[in-house]
Amino acid sequence: MRVSFQLNGKPVEVEVEPRMHLADCLREELRLTGTHLGCEHGVCGTCTVIIDGAAVRACLVLAVQAEGSAVVTVEGLSSEEALTPLQTAFRKHHALQCGFCTPGMLTTAHALLTEQPDADADRIRSALSGNLCRCTGYIPIVEAVLEARAAYRKTKP
Ligand code: FES
Ligand code: FES
C-alpha cells in the first residue's frame, strides 16, 4: 500500500506492507534509524515519535495509519548548526549513557514541553514514566528536561 505523510517537515510517500508498523517504515524504508526499537509491544518507549503533536509509540502504529499526518522523529528535533536546548541540557546533566533510550526520551520531552513548558518535576516524571532507561537512573534526565523548559517558554506563542 502507498502511504503519504509529512516527515520532519517534508512530504514523503512510501510503499509498505499493510502490516508494517511505523517504526519499521521509518527505519527500513525511510532510513531514519534514530527511532529505536526495544520491546516492539509498547512497553519501553524507545520508538516514540511525535504524530500531530502527540508522543506516540511507533511500534504500535501501522505505517498506513500515518496517512496525512505530520510525523516528527528524533532527527527532526535536531539542527545542523548547533545542539538544541534539549540536547544541550541532556549533555550537561549526563542524561544518557548508552543512548539507546535517548531518542524516545527526547521526543517524549519535546512533545511535553511544547504543550506544557511549565511542567513541574512530577509532570515530567509522569510523562517519562513510559520510557525505560536501564543506564542512567532518571534523576539526570528529569533535571535536563527541567532545565530545557526555559527555551520552550520562549517559543510558546
Ligand atoms: S519498541 Fe515501541 S514501545 Fe518498545
Ligand atoms: S542511556 Fe542506556 S538505556 Fe538509557
Side-chain angles (χ1 to χ4, degrees), residues 36-47 57-60:
H36 291 170
L37 279 165
C39 66
E40 287 196 76
H41 57 265
V43 175
C44 73
T46 194
C47 65
R57 298 181 185 308
C59 72
L60 295 184

Side-chain angles (χ1 to χ4, degrees), residues 48-67:
T48 305
V49 299
I50 302 167
I51 303 181
D52 295 335
V56 171
R57 298 181 185 308
C59 72
L60 295 184
V61 177
L62 293 171
V64 293
Q65 290 178 291
E67 175 69 33

Side-chain angles (χ1 to χ4, degrees), residues 7-8 23 26-35 73 75:
L7 180 58
N8 298 330
L26 294 168
R27 292 177 55 84
E28 307 296 332
E29 304 295 330
L30 297 164
R31 312 307 296 168
L32 289 186
T33 53
T35 298
T73 66
E75 290 90 346

Side-chain angles (χ1 to χ4, degrees), residues 13-148:
E13 199 170 304
V14 60
E15 191 72 32
V16 292
E17 291 288 329
R19 63 188 163 78
M20 177 177 265
H21 61 55
L22 181 60
D24 272 350
C25 173
L26 294 168
R27 292 177 55 84
E28 307 296 332
E29 304 295 330
L30 297 164
R31 312 307 296 168
L32 289 186
T33 53
T35 298
H36 291 170
L37 279 165
C39 66
E40 287 196 76
H41 57 265
V43 175
C44 73
T46 194
C47 65
T48 305
V49 299
I50 302 167
I51 303 181
D52 295 335
V56 171
R57 298 181 185 308
C59 72
L60 295 184
V61 177
L62 293 171
V64 293
Q65 290 178 291
E67 175 69 33
S69 300
V71 178
V72 177
T73 66
V74 70
E75 290 90 346
L77 303 185
S78 305
S79 138
E80 285 184 12
E81 291 84 52
L83 294 180
T84 65
L86 190 55
Q87 289 170 323
T88 302
F90 265 63
R91 182 179 184 184
K92 175 178 164 187
H93 290 277
H94 307 290
L96 61 147
Q97 287 185 29
C98 79
F100 197 81
C101 69
T102 309
M105 293 287 180
L106 291 171
T107 47
T108 301
H110 180 78
L112 171 67
L113 294 184
T114 301
E115 278 301 306
Q116 298 176 37
D118 292 317
D120 63 12
D122 282 349
R123 178 69 191 102
I124 292 167
R125 279 193 200 96
S126 168
L128 292 175
S129 62
N131 291 74
L132 305 185
C133 175
R134 59 185 179 180
C135 302
T136 64
Y138 289 83
I139 290 172
I141 296 171
V142 173
E143 284 174 349
V145 179
L146 281 169
E147 178 157 328

